[in-house]
Amino acid sequence: MNSKSSETLMEKSPSRQCERRRVDLRFKLGGIDDQGRFFEESIITHDLSECGGSFSSPKSIRVGSTLKLADASGFISLIHIAWSRTESDNNHSNYGFRFIDPLKE
């Protein structure tokens, strides 16, 4: 995804319901990791849409997990981890999520 258009807008693909935009937003993520331990950490999104988004984390999180995502105002959304991809060059994994109850404008 090195094309110029993917830097600001990632087009809606046939498998996606919502248009994704590249945004770096800080959130607090909390829940249970794949070892059964509670965690809470700050994350920064890679992209975001009305349906979900993606982020990186050093935590090992099981696909299918339900976690909470809180913004700076304290607003909390529940998210479902849809996919994960481990980066070979660092000890972080990339995670994709969808909002359990998507926000409507």
Side-chain angles (χ1 to χ4, degrees), residues 19-21 23 25 27 45-49 52-53 97 99:
E19 184 180 276
R20 298 186 306 165
R21 294 192 181 275
V23 289
L25 296 175
F27 288 93
T45 61
H46 298 300
D47 59 68
L48 201 60
S49 77
F97 66 90
F99 292 110

Side-chain angles (χ1 to χ4, degrees), residues 10-27:
M10 299 168 73
E11 293 299 324
K12 185 174 155 184
S13 73
S15 63
R16 294 201 186 281
Q17 295 176 342
C18 300
E19 184 180 276
R20 298 186 306 165
R21 294 192 181 275
R22 288 224 182 251
V23 289
D24 296 328
L25 296 175
R26 186 173 300 277
F27 288 93

